[in-house]
Amino acid sequence: MPRDSMPLRELPCLSLQGSMLSQPKRVVKRKSKGCPGKGLDTECTPTELIQQWSPSHKHQRLACKGKENDGNQFVLARRSRRKKESTSAGISWDHLPDELLLKILFYLPLQDLLRMSTVCKRWHRLAFDESLWHSVDLEGLTHTGPALQQVLKTGVRRLRCPRSFVEELHFTDTGPLQVVEMDLSSSVIPTSALESIICRCRLLEYLSLEGLRLSDTIISSLSKNPNLVQLNLSGCSGFSAPALSDMLKSCSSIEQLNVSWCDFNNDHVKSVVDNLSSGVTHLNLSGYRESLALDDVKVLVTRCPHIQTLDLSDSTLLTADCFPVLKQLEYLLHLSLSRCYHIHLAALTDLGQIFPALCLLDAFGLVLDSHLPPLRKELPRVSINSRPFSGVARPTPAAGRLVGSCSDRAMWSRKCQLRFKL
C-alpha cells in the first residue's frame, strides 16, 4: 500500500506512545474537520503534526477525565463548573425552584424562619417573601417595637399582638399597610406610635384596640376603612364625641361594636346611639351607669332593629320600663342586664313571653344563686348567667377558652400561621 494512502494510526512517525493522535477518538474528530492528506504531502515531524491538528492549548480537553496524571506525564486541567455533577445523594436545595421552597418554608415556625434567612441571599429573600407573612402572632415577644415595624413592612394581613410592650415606631415608608385583621388589645404602646399605624390602614375589617389610649386622629383614621365589620374599643379613652360620630357615620358596614366601659360622658353615648349603622347585630354598650337612659334605648332600637346580642349591663338608670321598648327587637337572642339594680327579679320572669327567641340572659348581681332554680323553671328555654364575659367584637372571647389551648391563641376564630413561641 502506498505510504500516502496509509491510515494515520499506521504511520511510523505517529506511533509514539503518549501522542494525542494515537487515540482513535481524536482521529475521527479531526477527519470531520478537514482532509488530513493535505498536511501529509510534506515531511513533518510528529511535533509539527500535533501542533497542526490539535486544538489550541487553552481549549485542550482530555478524553479520559480523572486520569490526567496516569503514565509519566503530569497535566494540569481545569474542569468546567457547569459540567460538575453532584456526588451527594438526592437533590440539592439549590436546584429547587422558588415556588417549591416557599411551600416548604410555609410550615416553619417564626424563629426557624428567621434563622433560615441568614443562610444565604436567596434564602433571605425567600424567608421574607410576602406570601409567608400574611398571618403573624407576636404575643409574648418582649420589646415588640422593632419586630412589629419589620412585620408591618412585609405586607402582613392578619396581625395578632395583644398584651405587648411597643416602643416608638419610625417608619421610613409612608405607603398604606395591607392589614385586614389586627389585635393590639391591652398593649403598652405610645399614642403617637399607634397613630403611625392606624393612619396608614385602609383595608381594616377586624380591629381590637381594647384598653388603649387613643386620639381623635386615630378615630378619624378609622373612618377611612369603610369595610370595617368588627370594632372593639372596650375600655378606650382619649377621643371626643364628634370624632366618634364621624367615624360611625363613615363605617356603615360595622356589624359588631364594643364600646363598653370607655371614658364616655352623655355626649359620647348619644354619639353612639344616634349614628350606629342599621346593620349592627352585636352591640356592647355596658358600663354607663348614669349616662344611658331609656330615651337612648328607644333611639337605639329604632336605628338597629336587627340586633341579636345586646349588652346594657351596669346601666343603673334602666328599669323594667325598657322591656316594652326592647320588644321591638324581633331577632334578640342574647340580653345582658347585669347589675341594672333598678330592674326587679319578678320582672325577669316575663322575658320568655316578651322575647320568644331569647336563649341567653345575663343577670349577674340581680339574681342570687338561691333564686336561679325558680327563675329557670319560669324560663326553661333560656340559659341564665352562663356567659360571665362579653364576646362582642373581641378577637379571642374569654368565654369557653382554656389558657394555653389552640382557641386561646386564635384571633376571630382562626390561628395565625407564623407564631412566636416562648
Side-chain angles (χ1 to χ4, degrees):
M1 179 181 297
R3 183 180 181 88
D4 293 344
S5 61
M6 292 178 64
L8 291 177
R9 60 186 178 185
E10 296 183 5
L11 289 175
C13 64
L14 300 180
S15 60
L16 297 175
Q17 182 180 1
S19 173
M20 296 183 62
L21 293 180
S22 64
Q23 302 178 19
K25 294 183 180 179
R26 291 296 184 182
V27 173
V28 175
K29 185 174 182 181
R30 289 176 190 129
K31 283 186 178 182
S32 62
K33 291 183 178 180
C35 179
K38 181 179 179 180
L40 298 177
D41 291 338
T42 58
E43 293 184 0
C44 296
T45 63
T47 302
E48 293 173 344
L49 288 173
I50 291 174
Q51 293 176 351
Q52 180 179 354
W53 297 104
S54 298
S56 60
H57 179 70
K58 63 178 180 179
H59 298 296
Q60 182 173 335
R61 294 292 183 268
L62 296 178
C64 298
K65 293 184 178 180
K67 299 182 179 180
E68 296 89 343
N69 299 327
D70 288 351
N72 298 325
Q73 291 185 345
F74 185 82
V75 180
L76 293 177
R78 178 183 178 186
R79 297 185 182 183
S80 174
R81 292 184 179 179
R82 295 181 180 179
K83 295 183 179 180
K84 277 189 177 181
E85 296 181 359
S86 176
T87 57
S88 60
I91 301 176
S92 171
W93 285 89
D94 294 336
H95 295 162
L96 297 179
D98 289 356
E99 294 77 7
L100 184 55
L101 283 175
L102 288 175
K103 290 287 186 181
I104 298 173
L105 300 182
F106 181 78
Y107 295 96
L108 291 182
L110 179 58
Q111 288 98 319
D112 293 342
L113 185 65
L114 294 178
R115 293 189 189 101
M116 192 223 69
S117 67
T118 62
V119 173
C120 61
K121 291 183 178 180
R122 184 193 180 201
W123 283 28
H124 183 275
R125 173 177 57 82
L126 293 175
F128 288 97
D129 188 86
E130 183 175 322
S131 63
L132 301 179
W133 295 84
H134 281 183
S135 175
V136 182
D137 185 351
L138 297 179
E139 183 182 13
L141 183 65
T142 57
H143 301 290
T144 318
L148 178 60
Q149 187 165 326
Q150 181 63 36
V151 167
L152 290 172
K153 292 180 181 179
T154 62
V156 62
R157 304 290 197 276
R158 303 180 69 245
L159 175 61
R160 184 174 185 268
C161 192
R163 297 174 289 279
S164 301
F165 178 79
V166 182
E167 304 89 341
E168 287 287 350
L169 301 179
H170 303 283
F171 291 104
T172 56
D173 182 15
T174 59
L177 299 177
Q178 304 300 316
V179 184
V180 176
E181 303 177 20
M182 182 164 58
D183 178 15
L184 296 175
S185 303
S186 304
S187 294
V188 178
I189 178 171
T191 303
S192 57
L194 187 58
E195 286 179 355
S196 64
I197 297 175
I198 301 298
C199 290
R200 298 172 58 195
C201 293
R202 298 292 184 272
L203 305 175
L204 286 172
E205 296 181 8
Y206 298 82
L207 177 64
S208 178
L209 302 176
E210 182 170 341
L212 304 186
R213 181 167 183 80
L214 310 181
S215 65
D216 284 354
T217 301
I218 294 175
I219 296 299
S220 299
S221 298
L222 291 180
S223 63
K224 299 178 182 179
N225 294 266
N227 296 324
L228 199 59
V229 175
Q230 294 192 26
L231 177 61
N232 179 20
L233 299 179
S234 177
C236 292
S237 60
F239 54 95
S240 64
L244 181 61
S245 298
D246 294 338
M247 185 269 290
L248 292 175
K249 290 177 182 178
S250 301
C251 300
S252 57
S253 300
I254 291 181
E255 297 177 0
Q256 294 196 26
L257 177 65
N258 191 334
V259 286
S260 60
W261 294 98
C262 294
D263 185 18
F264 280 3
N265 54 32
N266 294 343
D267 293 335
H268 286 88
V269 173
K270 292 187 181 299
S271 295
V272 174
V273 298
D274 290 343
N275 296 283
L276 275 178
S277 169
S278 60
V280 172
T281 58
H282 296 70
L283 175 64
N284 189 337
L285 198 57
S286 62
Y288 304 110
R289 295 184 175 88
E290 298 182 359
S291 298
L292 182 67
L294 181 59
D295 291 339
D296 298 320
V297 177
K298 292 179 179 179
V299 176
L300 176 64
V301 169
T302 303
R303 291 190 60 86
C304 308
H306 303 291
I307 290 181
Q308 301 175 15
T309 299
L310 180 61
D311 193 339
L312 301 176
S313 300
D314 296 279
S315 300
T316 57
L317 297 181
L318 295 183
T319 64
D321 294 339
C322 68
F323 290 165
V325 178
L326 295 174
K327 186 179 180 179
Q328 302 176 49
L329 301 176
E330 300 178 1
Y331 306 99
L332 188 63
L333 301 175
H334 186 182
L335 178 62
S336 296
L337 298 172
S338 299
R339 295 171 297 278
C340 294
Y341 296 112
H342 289 170
I343 298 178
H344 298 289
L345 175 62
L348 298 178
T349 59
D350 299 330
L351 293 180
Q353 299 177 353
I354 298 175
F355 306 105
L358 190 68
C359 57
L360 292 171
L361 173 63
D362 298 328
F364 294 98
L366 300 183
V367 182
L368 300 177
D369 292 341
S370 58
H371 296 158
L372 277 176
L375 183 59
R376 285 170 178 165
K377 288 183 179 180
E378 296 291 336
L379 304 173
R381 296 179 290 101
V382 180
S383 177
I384 303 173
N385 289 353
S386 61
R387 302 288 180 88
F389 302 102
S390 173
V392 175
R394 278 184 167 151
T396 310
R401 85 178 185 190
L402 297 176
V403 177
S405 64
C406 293
S407 59
D408 185 48
R409 302 300 297 260
M411 181 175 70
W412 285 289
S413 303
R414 291 190 298 162
K415 289 184 63 178
C416 292
Q417 172 61 30
L418 287 178
R419 181 167 67 89
F420 178 79
K421 295 181 180 180
L422 295 175

